[in-house]
Each structure stands twice: as C-alpha cells, then as structure tokens.
Amino acid sequence: MTRRCDVLVVGGGHAGCEAALAAARMGHGTVLATLRIGDIARMPCNPAIGGLAKGQIVREIDALGGEMARCIDLTGIQFRMLNRGKGPAVWSPRAQADKAAYHERMLAVLQAQAGLDIVEGEVVGLEIGADGVEGVVMEGGGRIAARRVVLALGTFPNGVMHIGERRIPGGREGERPSIGLTDQLAGLGLERRRLKTGTPPRIARDTVDYGRCREQPGDEPPSPFSFETGRLDVDQVSCWITWTNERTHRLIRENLDRAPLFSGQITGVGPRYCPSIEDKVVRFGDRDRHLLFLEPEGRDVDEIYVNGLATSLPVDVQEGMIQTIPGLEQARIVRYGYAIEYDVLSSRQLRPTLESRLIPGLFLAGQINGTSGYEEAAAQGIVAGINACLGLRNERPFVPGRHEAYIGVLIDDLVTKEIVEPYRMFTSRAEYRLLLRQDNADERLYRYGVRFGLVDAERWRDAARRRRRVLCALRRIAAETVPAAVANALGGNETGRVSALQLLQRPGVGLEAIEGQLPGGTLGLDDRGRFALGVRVAYDGYIRRQRRTAEKMLSMETTRIPDDFSYDIDALSREGREKLDRFRPATLGAASRIDGVRSADLSILMVFLDRRRRGKGTP
C-alpha cells in the first residue's frame, strides 16, 4: 500500500515535531512517521527546556511560529532567568518540565493539526529517483511517497547503549534502534561518524535527604518563553544542589578499567562541554568536587534527574557513587545512567537550508547532524520544515544570518565547520550577541514567521509598535535634563541641570528615578519596553558598533557562490582550495568562516566570482 504526501518527516523527537507542524501549518499535506506515538516529544535526557544560549533559541523558534515555547509555558514546573548578574546579552530563560505533560501537550497539538497525519512504524529505507528523494519504505513493505523528506532520527541510527560491560542495542532506554537507514545513506555518498552522549542515574524522590542539599527555587514572578503567553500562573517546584567529593572521585578512579569510556568499548566522540562524571574526574583531577543539580522529572513524578552525573559505569559502581554524595546517602536508583553511541551524518554536506547537497529533496535535522540538545534540534526542525515547503513552492529559501538569530549561528556553524563532537550552542559562539538577546527575538524574526504564514501579522505589528515606543522614549530622554538636586540625590556632585541620559547610565540608577522629572510625565512603556529601553541606554554604543559590523559583513553574506563553481584556481592556497571544495560554501561570508581559508584566498575568490559574473569564462 502506498500513501502520498507533500512532506514526510521521519522521527517524532523535538526536531521532527517542529518540522511537521511547520510544514502542515504552511498548507502542505504532511506525514510524521515515528517508531512509537507514545514517545513523541519525549525527554530522554534532562527534563528541561532552555538554558544558556538555548533559551534564546527557544524564543526564536517561537518568533518563527514554532511550538516549543508555548508547550513549555503550559507544562513547566519551574522557571528561571539565568545570568541575571551579567549583561542582558547573555540572559537566558530556562524551565524545568513535567516531561510527561510536555509529551502529552505536544502530541495533542500534533494530533489536532489540520493537514498532518501521524504514522507509527519504522522507516527502513529511502526511495531515490533521478531527481532526488521520492519517498520511503516502511518495515513490512509499505511505502510513503513524498515530494520532500525530513530525517530527524535522533540517537536511533545504529544506536548502542552502554552500562558497564553491557552493550544494549537501542535508540534510548526501552526503545530499539533504527538499523540500516544510515548504511543506505553512506552507500549513497553521505559521510558518517559515531558520536556518543550519556545520561545520569535517576533516583527516587522520597529517598533524598533535602536537608543536606541547597534549595534552588524558581523566579518570582516567572518569565514565560512564548511571546504569546501573558503572565505565568504556576505553582513552582524547587530543584536542589549538592556536590560530589573525594570519596566519589576515589571510587570512580578505582573502577576506570570497568568504564566503557576508558576500556575502549566506546569509540564514539562525546561532548567536550558536557562530559560524563568519570571523564570529569580524569580531566579535572585538581577539582575536589563537582556541582550536581537534583531536578524533578515532573510535578507528581517519583524520579529525580541527577544533572551533572552522566555515566556509563557498571550498576554497582553507580550505586556506590550515589551513596557518597551529600543528601543521597540513602537514595535509591530507579534508573541507571548509560551512554549511547549512534551514527551521525556530516553536516558539511548540507546546504544552509539543511537540504542534502547529494540528494535533492532530502533534509536533515537534529542529532543526525551532530548536534546535542532539544533546543538545537527543534531549531533545525522548524528551518528544515519551512525550507521543504519553500522548495515545493519554488520560493526563495530561509537562511537566517548570524546577525539575525542564534539559529543562524547554529546552522552556519554546521555547514562551515567540521563537527567532530556533539555540537552545543553557547552565547560565545554568537559574535553579535548584543543584537541577539532573548527579549527581542520577536522584533528580529516575526517578519519571517508572517511571510511563511506561521505567525499572525498582528503580533508583528505589536512588536514593531513596542520598538517604536522604545526608540521614541530614548529620544525623549536624550533631549532632556534634570535638576542638579535630583542628580545629586542619586549620587554625584553636580551644579545646574544634568543630562537625563547620562544620569540613567550611572550604575544603580533606574528609569523610575527620573521618569517623573521628564516633561509630559511617564514614558508609557510596558515591562518589556522598559527592559528594552534600559538595555539601549546602557549598551547603545556597543549595539551601534555591532550593528555597523554586521552591516559591513552583510555584503559578503549576500555574495553568493554558484553551486557549480570550480575551485581549481592555482592562486588559491592548497588548503583553502581543498576546504572550499569539500564544504562548498553558499556565500563568500560562509567561505570566510571555514577553517583553513585565508584572507588572501577570499580576495582571490572575490576576483574570480566577479569575473564569472561578468561572463569572462572563469570558474
């Protein structure tokens, strides 16, 4: 039996959910194929959404019309804004999730979405024709014909779990792996490698001695993720903090010969920035303790996720290790930690749209591209879903720039860098992070969401009105002065009138201190507007500088390199020629970020691109 659709999404994780919803909401008949409907939007790792840089990505997904932010707002049990002690460029929202409720909410949204069907079963092969992908073959012989296919396979491709000496085939605990699909893709010329990730043990909630741990409550009031959400009304659940100690570390060191990571049993490369506890003990031997977060997996769930204790050590070592940790001496493990190895495909073989350069019509999203994290996966999913539909319409693709979104940074890094370990987003990866704050994602990206039919135009107009009010308020403040008495009361020794803008730029001086001194009274801004104004007042010079830099780079970003461009140019350095030919960058800007491509190579490339444009018969 054959069924037909415009867009087929394979995989029901966070990438697959966003890809399927975007495609269906853009008006194209969509099928989501998943191994088990009961595992859609599951959280196999930490039960949380957001975090450093990741929270910005979730806000951006929301501004594009995605679902992740709305879902966590409805199912979160604790909300915190991280990095409040630092500048606003790195403020990042994070929420603990009730992971069962999150799954149920996302599944309900998918099932209610018009134009979207969910099919339970395993995709065992792709059908490839002369013009690209044509559909997939299901286990049992069924077929789904599709004009575009998005693969969002997570950690399932040839997945193997490790607990001590045990090897268990699986995509995650309790689920079988996907076998053979990446073998077929490798046979078609897609490069693959093995990566590794891991999870910590889960412990019974009522066996923790919380008196020996430090409480970590949520923010009051909590900050929502979605720009559509008003005030959050949630009874927040605390997390707790504890630490490992020398007893823990000694036990780990004594059993390193039984650790798959060190015995040679695991060959896949793990995440450098989120290592297992045994890796931490070896790499950071001078540390006498490591921070652990005890995170509830739901409001009424018995399990506590021990964040920071990812491990694949044998079960007896895991039990002994837990008992050395303050507050966990009597804790009972309900699920053991494990590592998982899985296949990923080389993201450098993708176009910036996330379409394969080798197989037209095939898009890849999520961990199959070598990334780590629900948020990074969801971001790729919505971009892949959008571009699959734009390709069907022969419309210009969606490729957000590095100056526009963390999503743009993520995808540009994937297609211009060699991914040798699970890629995780950090604020430090974004060179324009003052422009890419968590509070202004709507101003940056709503116009795209409206263009794709995923965001109501009124939301965009509201954001534009707020931005105009903030700029108007900034001009008012810059044009006004306040009496010296007011300024001196706020610190200083002034005579005459003082610039209101300079006064606001003093540390500790808030908007409310001078608002009443301005002609015309209050500035008429809501809380979001007042926050945005505060950022502009404090960082206006830096913001202007970053914007000028971004504008200068834009000429390189818009200088396209034809797909058939030949890099067989003697004037290019040998390494530059090799790297350019391997990565096939879409623009001169992307070429500039490839390791090994020199400034001289870029200058030569510009000359030859100009010659080609003028029709002089060059490459």
Side-chain angles (χ1 to χ4, degrees), residues 149-166:
V149 173
V150 178
L151 291 184
L153 304 177
T155 58
F156 284 79
N158 294 325
V160 176
M161 297 181 293
H162 299 264
I163 305 177
E165 296 84 358
R166 294 172 59 205

Side-chain angles (χ1 to χ4, degrees), residues 178 236 247 449 528 544:
S178 171
Q236 299 197 71
R247 289 175 58 215
R528 283 193 59 205
R544 289 176 186 271

Side-chain angles (χ1 to χ4, degrees), residues 208-467:
V208 176
D209 182 358
Y210 296 102
R212 302 203 62 202
C213 306
R214 192 175 83 197
E215 186 174 11
Q216 187 181 53
D219 291 345
E220 289 295 348
S223 299
F225 274 88
S226 176
F227 293 105
E228 286 190 59
T229 303
R231 186 178 180 86
L232 278 176
D233 184 15
V234 57
D235 181 18
Q236 299 197 71
V237 176
S238 288
C239 296
W240 301 82
I241 293 173
T242 185
W243 289 266
T244 63
N245 52 61
E246 184 50 42
R247 289 175 58 215
T248 320
H249 302 174
R250 187 185 316 117
L251 179 63
I252 292 170
R253 286 192 290 266
E254 290 170 353
N255 287 278
L256 286 177
D257 60 324
R258 302 175 63 198
L261 190 62
F262 292 95
S263 68
Q265 181 174 314
I266 291 177
T267 59
V269 180
R272 180 168 31 129
Y273 300 106
C274 187
S276 66
I277 187 62
E278 50 267 40
D279 198 15
K280 289 180 190 176
V281 168
V282 170
R283 285 170 52 192
F284 307 107
D286 57 327
R287 301 274 185 91
D288 58 3
R289 66 178 189 174
H290 292 285
L291 187 65
L292 304 177
F293 296 90
L294 307 183
E295 301 176 346
E297 296 214 323
R299 189 173 299 282
D300 301 309
V301 177
D302 182 49
E303 294 184 14
I304 296 287
Y305 181 93
V306 188
N307 195 343
L309 204 68
T311 184
S312 56
L313 285 162
V315 296
D316 61 304
V317 181
Q318 291 191 38
E319 289 176 348
M321 183 169 61
I322 284 288
Q323 292 168 5
T324 67
I325 297 169
L328 308 187
E329 293 89 348
Q330 304 301 317
R332 175 171 52 86
I333 297 177
V334 294
R335 280 198 289 161
Y336 293 99
Y338 62 89
I340 182 167
E341 285 186 286
Y342 54 97
D343 285 350
V344 300
L345 300 174
S346 175
S347 57
R348 71 173 181 82
Q349 293 182 304
L350 296 176
R351 302 182 190 279
T353 59
L354 297 182
E355 183 180 17
S356 169
R357 287 201 273 112
L358 300 182
I359 306 174
L362 177 67
F363 293 78
L364 306 179
Q367 287 182 279
I368 191 71
N369 290 334
T371 61
S372 173
Y374 311 143
E375 303 82 4
E376 290 91 338
Q380 294 170 73
I382 195 169
V383 170
I386 288 169
N387 280 317
C389 295
L390 295 177
L392 291 173
R393 301 173 183 179
N394 293 317
E395 295 182 11
R396 71 182 187 275
F398 173 51
V399 182
R402 297 179 71 93
H403 66 292
E404 292 181 298
Y406 273 87
I407 295 175
V409 176
L410 165 66
I411 293 175
D412 186 69
D413 281 354
L414 290 179
V415 300
T416 62
K417 301 185 186 304
E418 200 78 57
I419 304 301
V420 297
E421 63 180 343
Y423 178 101
R424 179 180 178 183
M425 180 53 71
F426 296 101
T427 54
S428 59
R429 296 191 191 272
E431 58 268 47
Y432 307 119
R433 53 187 174 273
L434 258 177
L435 306 180
L436 308 183
R437 304 185 310 277
Q438 54 82 28
D439 63 287
N440 69 351
D442 53 346
E443 295 178 12
R444 293 185 275 117
L445 299 177
Y446 264 172
R447 65 184 185 277
Y448 294 114
V450 171
R451 170 188 152 198
F452 307 139
L454 299 173
V455 171
D456 186 278
E458 186 57 33
R459 290 173 62 186
W460 185 22
R461 287 191 285 268
D462 282 344
R465 283 191 288 266
R466 179 182 293 107
R467 184 171 184 273

Side-chain angles (χ1 to χ4, degrees), residues 389-602:
C389 295
L390 295 177
L392 291 173
R393 301 173 183 179
N394 293 317
E395 295 182 11
R396 71 182 187 275
F398 173 51
V399 182
R402 297 179 71 93
H403 66 292
E404 292 181 298
Y406 273 87
I407 295 175
V409 176
L410 165 66
I411 293 175
D412 186 69
D413 281 354
L414 290 179
V415 300
T416 62
K417 301 185 186 304
E418 200 78 57
I419 304 301
V420 297
E421 63 180 343
Y423 178 101
R424 179 180 178 183
M425 180 53 71
F426 296 101
T427 54
S428 59
R429 296 191 191 272
E431 58 268 47
Y432 307 119
R433 53 187 174 273
L434 258 177
L435 306 180
L436 308 183
R437 304 185 310 277
Q438 54 82 28
D439 63 287
N440 69 351
D442 53 346
E443 295 178 12
R444 293 185 275 117
L445 299 177
Y446 264 172
R447 65 184 185 277
Y448 294 114
V450 171
R451 170 188 152 198
F452 307 139
L454 299 173
V455 171
D456 186 278
E458 186 57 33
R459 290 173 62 186
W460 185 22
R461 287 191 285 268
D462 282 344
R465 283 191 288 266
R466 179 182 293 107
R467 184 171 184 273
R468 286 195 296 270
R469 285 194 293 267
V470 169
L471 292 176
C472 180
L474 183 61
R475 285 193 293 268
R476 277 185 62 191
I477 292 170
E480 296 297 339
T481 59
V482 299
V486 174
N488 293 338
L490 298 171
N493 185 19
E494 311 287 349
T495 59
R497 297 185 68 85
V498 179
S499 163
L501 182 59
Q502 291 179 358
L503 185 58
L504 263 183
Q505 289 172 337
R506 290 181 182 175
V509 177
L511 187 59
E512 64 283 350
I514 68 161
E515 197 168 15
Q517 303 294 324
L518 300 176
T522 64
L523 296 168
L525 298 176
D526 60 12
D527 288 343
R528 283 193 59 205
R530 294 171 76 86
F531 178 84
L533 178 61
V535 172
R536 290 298 299 265
V537 166
Y539 298 95
D540 192 56
Y542 298 101
I543 291 172
R544 289 176 186 271
R545 192 178 309 154
Q546 284 200 357
R547 190 164 285 125
R548 285 195 298 269
T549 303
E551 288 168 356
K552 287 179 182 177
M553 286 296 299
L554 199 56
S555 62
M556 293 183 67
E557 301 297 342
T558 55
T559 302
R560 302 202 61 78
I561 303 176
D563 289 344
D564 61 349
F565 188 84
S566 172
Y567 294 102
D568 188 16
I569 301 170
D570 289 340
L572 291 172
S573 70
R574 183 174 180 178
E575 184 182 15
R577 189 163 58 243
E578 176 192 335
K579 290 290 185 69
L580 288 166
D581 193 53
R582 286 179 64 204
F583 284 90
R584 307 296 306 179
T587 67
L588 196 60
S592 73
R593 290 185 289 276
I594 297 174
D595 292 336
V597 176
R598 306 170 187 173
S599 298
D601 293 328
L602 294 173

